[in-house]
Amino acid sequence: MSLPRICVSTNRRFLMTESGEPFFWLGDTAWELFHRLSLPEAEHYLNARRQQGFNLIQAVALAELDGLHTPNAQGHVPLLGDDPTRPNEFYFRHVDAIIRMASDKGLYIGLLPTWGDKVHARLWGIGPVIFNAGNARIYGRFLGERYRNDTNIIWILGGDRPAHGYEEVWAAMAQGITEGSGFKPFFTYHPMGGTSSSAVLHDADWLDMNMLQSGHCLMDAPNWEMIRADYERTPTKPALDGEPNYEHHPIDPYLRPWKPEYGRFTDYDVRKQAYRAVFAGACGHTYGSHSVWQMWSSRYAPTTFPSLPWDEALYGPGAQQLVHLKNLILAHPYFTRIPAPDLLPDVAPIPLPVDQEDRINPVRAAHPVATRDSEGTYGLVYFPMAGQSLRVDLRVLRGEVRSAWFDPRSGATHPIGMHSQGIVTFVSPIGGPDWVLVLKAEQP
């Protein structure tokens, strides 16, 4: 099955197919997909994510967890002698099969050529560093030639590393992929936690979309403010959170020794990050499960305290709920959607940067975010708390407004009533805890 290629929309805010259809990026994080899963396991994984409504899978060719030296499920390492100019044909046949299996299931692959520790020695990871600008271009050309006809690939450079000081290497890899492809494909960049690709690469001519990583240290990390900052940059580029808090992930196991009583991120935490980022202007969102990204099972040593095997974690409630966000956004006019702070006159932005030691903050936890279309035909307001009272300015919408509560856990809608123009106070239902207020203007 050949999928239409993905490109940037005409207004540079969103993604669309070649034929102009809206594409809402609903990604899953499967960094170790090519490295740790057999083909039957990969098919089981892809089937589950397709059924849950995901449309894109983020995976890495040269994986993080000793991806150069520990063989894949077929018994092959990716490179001969750790040399990027000598790829192992047998390893990449396994990658080929999974990419084409995904395409047959209607899924795109956000393909990282390598994890960042193979480029950037500092910080963490076992590497080893094997790339320079020369061999990055050769390796990129190999990948571009190999996958030039695989229309379901979106290229993601980086891999949890800052780009500063290594811009030449990443630019060379992008150039090689472009040369091998025979055309300029879609590129983004996966940065380290708490940052966005825009910090260093926003003006890079090869970068089509900014990706940020709000990460796993803070409860309610203000990814909506990071999206807002990227939304306001020029030149205009789409943006999304490509690595928010993962379901089942320990809360902040990096800045202090983690204990079980510190807790793990839940489906509620996942929903808050997703709705607030998208309502702030993101062109989509990526979900992650801590066990699934590393495809953890008893065959492998655990990384940072996974709690479930990957094939059980695959069915976490958060993974089954985010399709409702995608469906909600696609049910309304798409390319005219804008952030709508004007719907919430009493809500002030949260200043950036945020102190990484401020792990739990009630102001961030309760922060609402709104979106609407530029024509004033609809508005959506995310209420993170049950029983939360917010004044909503309906004057930015057209005429009388019909309201309803949307349940982000089930996708069900519960009508409220009609409202004249003005500032109206809404209180979210006690069940929940979180809700979306749906406002539809009755055209005058």
Side-chain angles (χ1 to χ4, degrees):
M1 174 180 174
S2 181
L3 297 175
R5 294 191 190 275
I6 300 303
C7 57
V8 177
S9 64
T10 304
N11 67 1
R12 314 298 299 172
R13 293 295 187 193
F14 303 103
L15 305 181
M16 65 182 188
T17 66
E18 294 171 300
S19 60
E21 294 299 312
F23 180 78
F24 181 87
W25 173 310
L26 184 58
D28 183 42
T29 311
W31 301 136
E32 293 285 326
L33 172 63
F34 303 127
H35 184 212
R36 286 189 163 179
L37 295 194
S38 66
L39 281 180
E41 289 171 328
E43 183 165 30
H44 174 70
Y45 163 77
L46 294 172
N47 280 337
R49 288 305 191 231
R50 177 192 59 184
Q51 292 164 4
Q52 291 164 344
F54 292 90
N55 55 18
L56 184 142
I57 307 300
Q58 296 174 193
V60 191
L62 309 184
E64 175 185 10
L65 301 179
D66 198 28
L68 293 184
H69 301 141
T70 297
N72 68 3
Q74 310 294 96
H76 304 293
V77 295
L79 305 175
L80 303 178
D82 289 351
D83 184 349
T85 69
R86 301 172 63 207
N88 183 345
E89 173 65 20
F90 296 101
Y91 179 92
F92 280 93
R93 286 181 187 176
H94 184 63
V95 176
D96 301 346
I98 295 175
I99 289 173
R100 285 150 202 172
M101 183 188 294
S103 182
D104 289 342
K105 298 177 188 300
L107 294 169
Y108 289 83
I109 296 290
L111 180 57
L112 282 75
T114 181
W115 199 246
D117 61 342
K118 282 73 173 168
V119 173
H120 192 308
R122 299 192 299 274
L123 303 174
W124 60 90
I126 63 174
V129 171
I130 58 172
F131 283 102
N132 55 50
N135 62 21
R137 183 173 176 180
I138 295 170
Y139 177 64
R141 190 180 300 122
F142 157 77
L143 293 175
E145 290 175 353
R146 192 174 191 99
Y147 299 119
R148 66 190 307 169
N149 295 320
D150 291 286
T151 58
N152 66 323
I153 288 181
I154 289 174
W155 294 99
I156 306 175
L157 304 190
D160 208 17
R161 288 298 185 281
H164 180 68
Y166 298 86
E167 296 95 327
E168 183 182 4
V169 177
W170 297 117
M173 192 174 291
Q175 182 180 7
I177 292 170
T178 300
E179 291 168 351
S181 299
F183 60 91
K184 165 66 171 64
F186 186 102
F187 287 106
T188 187
Y189 182 93
H190 177 258
M192 69 178 292
T195 68
S196 170
S197 60
S198 64
V200 175
L201 298 173
H202 186 77
D203 293 324
D205 58 3
W206 57 266
L207 187 80
D208 297 293
M209 180 187 80
N210 279 311
M211 179 179 284
L212 60 93
Q213 180 189 164
S214 59
H216 319 284
C217 291
L218 298 178
M219 295 288 289
D220 301 289
N223 62 352
W224 61 93
E225 302 291 0
M226 298 174 73
I227 292 291
R228 177 186 56 80
D230 279 354
Y231 193 92
E232 294 174 354
R233 290 181 183 269
T234 55
T236 301
K237 293 184 177 181
L240 59 75
D241 192 345
E243 188 172 337
N245 53 24
Y246 290 159
E247 192 169 13
H248 315 120
H249 195 294
I251 298 171
D252 182 17
Y254 306 113
L255 302 182
R256 59 179 175 170
W258 185 75
K259 300 176 183 178
E261 55 264 33
Y262 295 159
R264 298 175 182 270
F265 292 110
T266 67
D267 58 307
Y268 174 44
D269 301 311
V270 165
R271 292 194 307 274
K272 284 192 286 183
Q273 296 305 91
Y275 279 82
R276 293 191 286 199
V278 169
F279 284 15
C283 64
H285 193 73
T286 298
Y287 164 85
S289 164
H290 186 49
S291 296
V292 173
W293 78 258
Q294 61 184 287
M295 299 301 175
W296 180 68
S297 71
S298 59
R299 298 201 304 260
Y300 300 104
T303 298
T304 324
F305 315 108
S307 57
L308 296 168
W310 71 268
D311 53 351
E312 292 182 34
L314 196 56
Y315 301 100
Q320 302 181 74
Q321 294 165 356
L322 288 192
V323 66
H324 304 314
L325 170 60
K326 183 181 78 170
N327 292 342
L328 178 67
I329 295 298
L330 290 174
H332 293 86
Y334 194 79
F335 296 115
T336 55
R337 186 171 67 86
I338 60 174
D342 51 359
L343 277 172
L344 298 171
D346 302 329
V347 176
I350 293 175
L352 293 176
V354 173
D355 182 1
Q356 292 294 303
E357 296 291 341
D358 186 18
R359 297 180 183 90
I360 300 174
N361 183 298
V363 174
R364 293 199 310 266
H367 191 86
V369 180
T371 187
R372 64 179 178 88
D373 80 324
S374 58
E375 305 300 315
T377 64
Y378 78 91
L380 305 171
V381 183
Y382 182 67
F383 285 62
M385 301 290 182
Q388 185 172 11
S389 177
L390 292 174
R391 295 199 319 146
V392 180
D393 191 346
L394 303 183
R395 293 173 296 183
V396 301
L397 303 178
R398 289 185 183 178
E400 290 193 322
V401 174
R402 186 181 303 276
S403 62
W405 291 112
F406 175 85
D407 186 340
R409 292 157 298 283
S410 68
T413 300
H414 308 278
I416 303 172
M418 294 293 297
H419 311 272
S420 299
Q421 284 203 334
I423 297 179
V424 177
T425 298
F426 291 89
V427 180
S428 56
I430 294 302
D434 53 331
W435 293 89
V436 177
L437 177 66
V438 179
L439 304 166
K440 293 190 176 181
E442 299 292 317
Q443 301 288 332

